[in-house]
Amino acid sequence: MTPGRRSSTFSRLLRHGFTDPSAAERLLDGPELAPVRDDPVLLEALGATADPDLALHGLVRLLEAQDGQTARRELLDTLIAAKPLRDRLLGVLGASAALADHLARHPSDWHALVTYEPRDLHPGVEEFERGLAGAADPVSLRVAYRRCLLSIAARDVCGTTDVAETAAELADLATATLRAALAIAQAHAPGDAAACRLAVIAMGKCGGHELNYVSDVDVIFVAEAADGTTEAKALTAATRLASHLMRICSETTVEGSIWPVDANLRPEGRNGPLVRTLSSHLAYYQRWAKTWEFQALLKARPVAGDADLGQAYVDALEPLVWKAAERENFVADVQKMRRRVVENIPASEIERELKLGPGGLRDVEFAVQLLQLVHGRTDHGLRSGTTLNALQALAAGGYVGREDAARLDEAYRFLRSMEHRIQLYRLRRTHLVPVAEEDQRRLGRSLGLRTDPVTELIREWKRHTGVVRRLHEKLFYRPLLDAVAQLAPGEARLSPEAARERLVALGYADPAAALRHLEALASGVTRKAAIQRTLLPVLLGWFADSADPDAGLLNFRKVSDALGKTPWYLRLLRDEGAAAENLARVLSAGRLAPDLLMRAPEAVALLGDGDGGGLDPRVRAHLEQEILAAVGRAENAEQGVTAARGVRRRELFRTAAADIVGSYGTETSPAEADQGALVDRVGAAVSDLTAATLAGTLRAVVRDGWGDTLPTRFAIIGMGRFGGHELGYGSDADVVFVHEPQDGVDEHEAAAAANKVVAEMRRLLQLPSADPPLLIDADLRPEGKSGPMVRTLKSYEAYYRRWSLVWESQALLRAEPVAGDEDLGRRFTELIDPLRYPRRGLDEDAVREIRRLKARMESERLPRGADPKLHTKLGPGGLSDVEWTVQLFQLRHGWEQPGLRTTRTRQALAAAREAGLLSAEEAEILDEAWVLATRVRNAVMLVRGRAGDTFPTEPRELSAVGRYLGHGAGHAGDMLDAYRRTTRRARTVVEELFYGNGG
């Protein structure tokens, strides 16, 4: 070839889409293509394929495989003269290396693409059965199957059929193949065939008439005895036939395999019998089946074997399918199954997963099936096993908005087309988008993206998955709003009954009230109503994911009513995704957080930082600064304390909201895995807030009564959980008060001033108000309730030197100055250190006394009727058990182990482990129990709005506690079992370390 001609051909090949023009040139110059080398028709046709290089290579291989010159000439003449064959054959060769391999092995099969009769355009099961009719063994069945597949692929790549028609043809070919495989199995064992009636029920995509090129074909087998045969014998025979059928399709031969036949959707899965009678199937589904099994039966379709038995199976089970939505936690079960699928995808593959990943095919299928199961009970027009047909029916009935349905239909078709073309290349089962550029280029060109195939492919793929991600859950909720909103005339809408059905399925106990709330929020033509109609579909989904959707929606209406005229409120929810989801979680998780929010709804703004910064707890110094500044601006003590309590209420809401969001997780960030970190954050935040509130209250009272200087130095010492930085939402502030007269001040005057300060602080912090009260408990002072409320430092010193008991030393382990005169607080700490960390530790009498006190407390203080095993404070393995064990370590070894000199339980426990006082495993068991018991107490307060040490008995409250602790809907029993198991292990350790020889 001359250089000029070579250069011209090279450029022409590049223009026609060849990526290796040199190799293409050599093939075009070869003897196989010599007769047509200069025909422009061939080059044009190759350039129109998905991969011209692949198509040319496949064509040359096919010509080489022809039996003689005459056959080769016939192929070339037909190829040039008949455009239908040219487009079909080259289209297949450019899209599928696997089918090119088949044609090279069976070079006459190209004739299957020549006929172009109307009946060839949309073949059904009958046509495919004729195509497989000559197959009498597994090998010939594979060859015939590939020949049929060749014609399906040809129509697909040429655009003769769309993606839905292609999927239906693939399902019809699978039906014909199952029938042929069953016939081969029956011919191989005529005795078994005579002993039973066997029906094959297609499930999954085959049953739904929407199969992929390469997919497991899901089936269920049902059998009955033939006349004169016992049931046991018939089932044995049917099992042999079914097993043989599966092997015929699945086993690898010289012609490869067809596809795996998967029977794992049967009752009991792979652990159950392969074949059952109809009555056995029915008994299982009536008694044992899970929600997902009824969802799978949506697609059940008899395809092979005894047609009457297959139809009887479908008729018998269909009523059960349409009752599935009445099951408790139905929607939660379906959504949990979807989440579990996503969680099982390897992290390295999730972004490339077409089928199972977020915004993938399964999202559309799950959403459609969920709606079918809810509304198909009363609307038989929705009972289609085919996703796109069902989506169309849902839109026509007003169950889904028409625009949403159209966008999902478009996205689903595009993603299925991608999946088909990816699988067609090698005829391998995969749902992953390839990473190699040449594979992405072929894929893009096969979908008609020719300008910049790779860039266009990625852009379109991401656009469609984005549509699915936004719409697949909203699909379920938006029509509820359309049912109550003012729609355009003629627009289909949910009927009141259908809306009620959907709300009940979502877990709403009072659907009529929920519809009234939706109507109040979303009706009208105002901008506010329009934004609500945008927000509510998503919010309704988040409410439904909680234990009390009714409360979530009611609370949202209350907040919206209070803030509806505030311009930033709806804008915040609309524009900052985190704010809307955080609000939905907070409003539906229990009573405490919504109650705090309703008292000052503008605190919604705290939920708005997209990075979650608005929910980060504020440090104590900043809290104290804000409260003291507010007190300084107040006209009197009452106003000052009111301001301090307002800050406390807002910060309690911030802490509760952060705790709820961290416990539930969001769509963008999972739930906090470290439960101890959640507990520590709440304890530290509430303790810091309480200390700042007391500091502000002290400043307000002193300033109001004495100006700048109190006649006596005054300090507040935190005790118990307060001193330990472990306060919960419902905790009182355990404190003791210490004072020291200023120089030259009479002791009586000083004591009177100190007592007046305490009395006024307690009064102001408990005044009836919109803000929650802060109760001060000083019962841990010397002599308890009988002793003076306030003592001087000298009085404490005299008392402790003469009268102090071992329980008081134990109580002082958690003493820490929290407010007032810092120097006085420091000197109080120096005074008590020798008491709580006694030199040489405790003697045996003191240890026995502590154990005796603990035993007495266990027997006397447990509330009447309470289940000891579920009491978080006093029950076995609960807070008291762990804390007394840790405190015994501190009393005995604090003098020699500096790490034990802390007021915080978890820090002291870690220090005891580091010191070798208990094993790492024992420490972990105690820590886990303490954290869990604390979490339960926090949960009870969040859910009920009042403190409690035991699990709630009301089912919704118990479920809400479970959700907070990470247990899904319907798993309250698992939560209680987990609590008993954790505390039982802790009690075993406590008995060894506290009552035994440990410590």
Side-chain angles (χ1 to χ4, degrees):
M1 184 183 291
T2 64
R5 178 167 177 249
R6 176 179 175 80
S7 174
S8 170
T9 304
F10 192 92
S11 301
R12 204 149 44 98
L13 291 170
L14 279 175
R15 282 199 309 275
H16 280 90
F18 286 87
T19 56
D20 189 353
S22 299
E25 217 171 353
R26 286 194 297 273
L27 291 174
L28 285 167
D29 285 341
E32 293 81 13
L33 290 174
V36 295
R37 176 184 301 137
D38 298 318
D39 195 317
V41 167
L42 176 62
L43 204 56
E44 290 290 335
L46 286 167
T49 65
D51 187 338
D53 301 85
L54 186 67
L56 177 58
H57 185 258
L59 177 61
V60 171
R61 288 179 64 207
L62 177 58
L63 287 165
E64 289 173 343
Q66 295 302 308
D67 187 14
Q69 189 62 36
T70 304
R72 193 173 297 133
R73 187 75 222 185
E74 179 193 4
L75 171 57
L76 283 174
D77 289 347
T78 311
L79 187 71
I80 298 301
K83 185 177 189 308
L85 171 71
R86 188 166 62 246
D87 291 344
R88 287 177 166 200
L89 178 59
L90 295 182
V92 167
L93 292 174
S96 178
L99 288 177
D101 291 343
H102 171 83
L103 283 168
R105 290 196 307 273
H106 303 280
S108 64
D109 275 6
W110 67 269
H111 290 93
L113 304 180
V114 174
T115 53
Y116 206 72
E117 304 296 329
R119 65 187 177 85
D120 296 313
L121 295 183
H122 299 291
V125 176
E126 286 185 21
E127 286 77 16
F128 288 126
E129 283 190 293
R130 281 198 295 274
L132 302 178
D137 58 70
V139 173
S140 59
L141 180 61
R142 280 153 176 70
V143 175
Y145 174 83
R146 288 283 198 286
R147 191 181 305 121
C148 292
L149 193 65
L150 189 63
S151 65
I152 293 175
R155 286 188 292 276
D156 178 14
V157 298
C158 291
T160 307
T161 54
D162 66 16
V163 66
E165 291 168 328
T166 300
E169 287 185 17
L170 289 165
D172 285 341
L173 175 56
T175 296
T177 305
L178 288 169
R179 291 178 182 179
L182 181 57
I184 294 171
Q186 288 172 328
H188 184 266
D192 286 344
C196 65
R197 297 166 59 206
L198 176 64
V200 184
I201 311 298
M203 304 287 285
K205 282 191 158 49
C206 183
H209 223 227
E210 51 187 14
L211 197 60
N212 301 331
Y213 275 102
V214 188
S215 173
D216 291 358
V217 170
D218 296 310
V219 299
I220 284 176
F221 296 105
V222 57
E224 297 292 344
D227 292 342
T229 308
T230 65
E231 184 177 291
K233 184 177 178 182
L235 285 175
T236 302
T239 300
R240 282 196 292 264
L241 289 173
S243 299
H244 194 187
L245 177 153
M246 294 173 73
R247 291 197 303 276
I248 290 168
C249 296
S250 306
E251 285 183 348
T252 302
T253 70
V254 290
E255 288 292 338
S257 67
I258 301 177
W259 19 247
V261 176
D262 188 340
N264 287 337
L265 290 178
R266 67 187 185 270
E268 299 179 77
R270 65 185 64 205
N271 297 320
L274 182 63
V275 184
R276 289 175 183 256
T277 62
L278 178 53
S279 61
S280 175
H281 276 286
L282 197 55
Y284 174 83
Y285 283 105
Q286 286 171 333
R287 187 168 185 187
W288 302 110
K290 296 181 173 63
T291 299
W292 71 264
E293 293 178 279
F294 293 108
Q295 186 180 351
L297 285 172
L298 268 174
K299 297 184 178 292
R301 180 171 65 96
V303 291
D306 191 301
D308 291 339
L309 178 57
Q311 192 57 50
Y313 173 91
V314 171
D315 292 344
L317 290 178
E318 189 177 48
L320 300 180
V321 173
W322 301 110
K323 289 181 180 177
E326 298 170 9
R327 296 162 69 95
E328 189 176 359
N329 301 314
F330 161 71
V331 172
D333 283 349
V334 174
Q335 292 174 333
K336 184 170 66 179
M337 176 63 71
R338 172 71 190 113
R339 283 194 292 269
R340 190 177 301 155
V341 168
V342 175
E343 287 163 3
N344 288 333
I345 303 172
S348 60
E349 296 180 359
I350 193 164
E351 290 301 319
R352 297 194 293 130
E353 251 290 353
L354 269 180
K355 177 180 177 182
L356 303 178
L361 294 162
R362 189 55 62 84
D363 273 348
V364 182
E365 292 158 2
F366 262 64
V368 168
Q369 289 163 21
L370 196 57
L371 289 167
Q372 284 181 278
L373 288 168
V374 170
H375 298 296
R377 291 176 288 175
T378 53
D379 188 342
H380 289 218
L382 303 179
R383 298 182 178 187
S384 170
T386 307
T387 301
L388 291 176
N389 291 351
L391 182 57
Q392 186 178 7
L394 287 163
Y399 303 101
V400 171
R402 288 185 186 276
E403 185 181 338
D404 288 349
R407 294 173 71 195
L408 274 182
D409 182 281
E410 180 191 6
Y412 190 76
R413 287 174 184 273
F414 182 85
L415 297 174
R416 281 302 299 272
S417 297
M418 280 185 71
E419 181 184 45
H420 278 189
R421 301 300 164 79
I422 290 168
Q423 293 182 348
L424 182 59
Y425 176 52
R426 291 285 186 194
L427 286 182
R428 289 179 183 162
R429 182 175 180 267
T430 180
H431 310 288
L432 295 177
V433 177
V435 291
E437 185 175 338
E438 62 268 28
D439 291 330
Q440 292 181 354
R441 180 176 183 274
R442 180 191 321 105
L443 180 56
R445 284 175 59 90
S446 78
L447 296 170
L449 308 172
R450 297 299 172 95
T451 306
D452 184 354
V454 174
T455 303
E456 291 177 64
L457 171 71
I458 301 302
R459 184 176 63 239
E460 286 299 291
W461 168 38
K462 295 299 183 185
R463 179 174 73 85
H464 285 297
T465 54
V467 166
V468 174
R469 288 175 87 150
R470 286 193 301 275
L471 287 183
H472 89 275
E473 285 190 351
K474 192 189 300 184
L475 202 67
F476 201 79
Y477 307 109
R478 182 179 279 169
L480 287 167
L481 304 178
D482 295 342
V484 296
Q486 304 300 311
L487 296 184
E491 181 75 25
R493 71 175 74 201
L494 282 184
S495 68
E497 181 56 28
R500 191 196 70 79
E501 280 180 340
R502 196 173 294 194
L503 285 163
V504 170
L506 285 167
Y508 286 84
D510 189 349
L515 283 171
R516 288 197 300 274
H517 299 323
L518 292 177
E519 186 170 10
L521 289 162
S523 287
V525 293
T526 64
R527 184 170 175 275
K528 182 176 79 170
I531 295 175
Q532 287 282 22
R533 286 196 292 273
T534 302
L535 289 169
L536 276 164
V538 187
L539 289 166
L540 283 169
W542 288 323
F543 293 148
D545 190 38
S546 75
D548 197 348
D550 298 81
L553 182 55
L554 172 61
N555 288 330
F556 180 68
R557 181 180 175 185
K558 288 179 178 177
V559 173
S560 295
D561 286 348
L563 294 176
K565 294 180 181 177
T566 310
W568 57 263
Y569 167 61
L570 289 176
R571 190 168 64 243
L572 171 83
L573 299 184
R574 181 192 64 194
D575 297 341
E576 295 195 32
E581 185 174 4
N582 291 348
L583 180 62
R585 299 295 181 204
V586 166
L587 293 180
S588 56
R591 294 179 185 173
L592 179 66
D595 285 351
L596 292 167
L597 181 60
M598 296 310 168
R599 290 164 180 169
E602 66 277 2
V604 164
L606 297 176
L607 304 171
D609 277 3
D611 61 359
L615 294 180
D616 288 344
R618 298 176 66 202
V619 297
R620 179 167 162 185
H622 291 168
L623 289 170
E624 205 165 298
Q625 185 179 20
E626 180 185 1
I627 288 174
L628 292 176
V631 167
R633 291 190 296 270
E635 293 182 5
N636 54 48
E638 189 166 322
Q639 278 190 12
V641 175
T642 298
R645 288 174 66 181
V647 173
R648 178 171 176 265
R649 183 234 327 113
R650 185 196 68 210
E651 295 303 319
L652 278 174
F653 172 74
R654 188 198 304 267
T655 304
D659 189 18
I660 290 165
V661 171
S663 298
Y664 273 72
T666 66
E667 290 186 351
T668 54
S669 60
E672 170 69 67
D674 185 351
Q675 304 287 296
L678 284 169
V679 163
D680 290 345
R681 276 203 293 273
V682 171
V686 178
S687 300
D688 284 349
L689 178 56
T690 301
T693 305
L694 290 178
T697 304
L698 176 60
R699 172 74 64 85
V701 169
V702 170
R703 196 187 66 166
D704 208 37
W706 293 272
D708 292 333
T709 308
L710 191 66
T712 186
R713 297 181 185 87
F714 187 90
I716 304 173
I717 311 299
M719 302 288 284
R721 296 194 178 286
F722 187 14
H725 299 257
E726 296 160 0
L727 283 180
Y729 300 110
S731 301
D732 296 346
D734 286 324
V735 298
V736 296
F737 299 102
V738 57
H739 78 105
E740 185 178 67
Q742 299 278 9
D743 293 344
V745 176
D746 178 72
E747 284 200 11
H748 292 293
E749 180 188 348
N755 277 288
K756 187 175 179 182
V757 166
V758 171
E760 188 65 1
M761 285 182 68
R762 298 181 80 180
R763 183 185 74 83
L764 291 173
L765 287 170
Q766 295 180 53
L767 279 177
S769 141
D771 301 314
L774 175 57
L775 302 179
I776 294 176
D777 186 339
D779 288 353
L780 290 175
R781 65 188 183 271
E783 301 179 75
K785 293 179 181 178
S786 305
M789 182 65 71
V790 190
R791 287 176 182 263
T792 63
L793 187 63
K794 287 182 179 178
S795 174
Y796 276 106
E797 184 180 7
Y799 174 86
Y800 288 137
R801 185 173 62 248
R802 188 170 182 186
W803 304 109
S804 178
L805 300 173
V806 68
W807 72 264
E808 291 176 300
S809 295
Q810 185 179 351
L812 289 170
L813 284 167
R814 313 191 75 182
E816 181 174 291
V818 293
D821 189 293
E822 291 183 9
D823 179 66
L824 181 59
R826 179 184 54 75
R827 286 186 285 132
F828 180 87
T829 302
E830 291 171 353
L831 167 67
I832 64 172
D833 274 350
L835 287 166
R836 54 184 178 176
Y837 311 124
R839 186 159 183 78
R840 304 298 173 193
L842 294 179
D843 60 32
E844 285 307 309
D845 287 343
V847 171
R848 276 195 297 274
E849 175 63 11
I850 287 177
R851 288 170 176 161
R852 189 185 63 78
L853 286 170
K854 175 77 169 71
R856 192 178 77 186
M857 185 180 72
E858 287 178 18
S859 62
E860 293 179 0
R861 291 180 58 186
L862 200 66
R864 187 186 302 275
D867 180 350
K869 293 179 180 176
L870 294 177
H871 197 279
T872 59
K873 184 175 182 181
L874 302 175
L879 295 170
S880 176
D881 266 3
V882 177
E883 288 165 2
W884 281 60
T885 301
V886 170
Q887 288 160 14
L888 185 57
F889 283 137
Q890 293 180 285
L891 287 165
R892 299 183 79 175
H893 303 283
W895 67 279
E896 60 181 348
Q897 296 291 340
L900 289 172
R901 297 172 207 159
T902 173
T903 62
R904 307 181 189 211
T905 302
R906 297 188 73 212
Q907 282 187 10
L909 181 59
R913 183 198 66 221
E914 289 294 319
L917 303 177
L918 75 170
S919 69
E921 182 185 7
E922 289 170 329
E924 185 179 343
I925 288 170
L926 293 182
D927 186 69
E928 182 185 5
W930 188 89
V931 166
L932 178 57
T934 304
R935 290 268 292 155
V936 172
R937 292 179 99 200
N938 285 345
V940 170
M941 185 65 189
L942 285 169
V943 169
R944 302 179 69 193
R946 60 182 188 271
D949 292 316
T950 59
F951 289 87
T953 53
E954 198 278 321
R956 280 213 167 191
E957 291 180 346
L958 187 64
S959 178
V961 170
R963 297 304 307 278
Y964 172 85
L965 294 176
H967 297 272
H971 289 275
D974 294 341
M975 169 183 66
L976 298 178
D977 288 345
Y979 181 84
R980 291 188 186 100
R981 187 167 54 250
T982 301
T983 52
R984 186 167 59 243
R985 293 172 66 214
R987 179 64 180 193
T988 302
V989 173
V990 168
E991 286 177 350
E992 169 63 24
L993 297 178
F994 185 82
Y995 291 110
N997 297 317

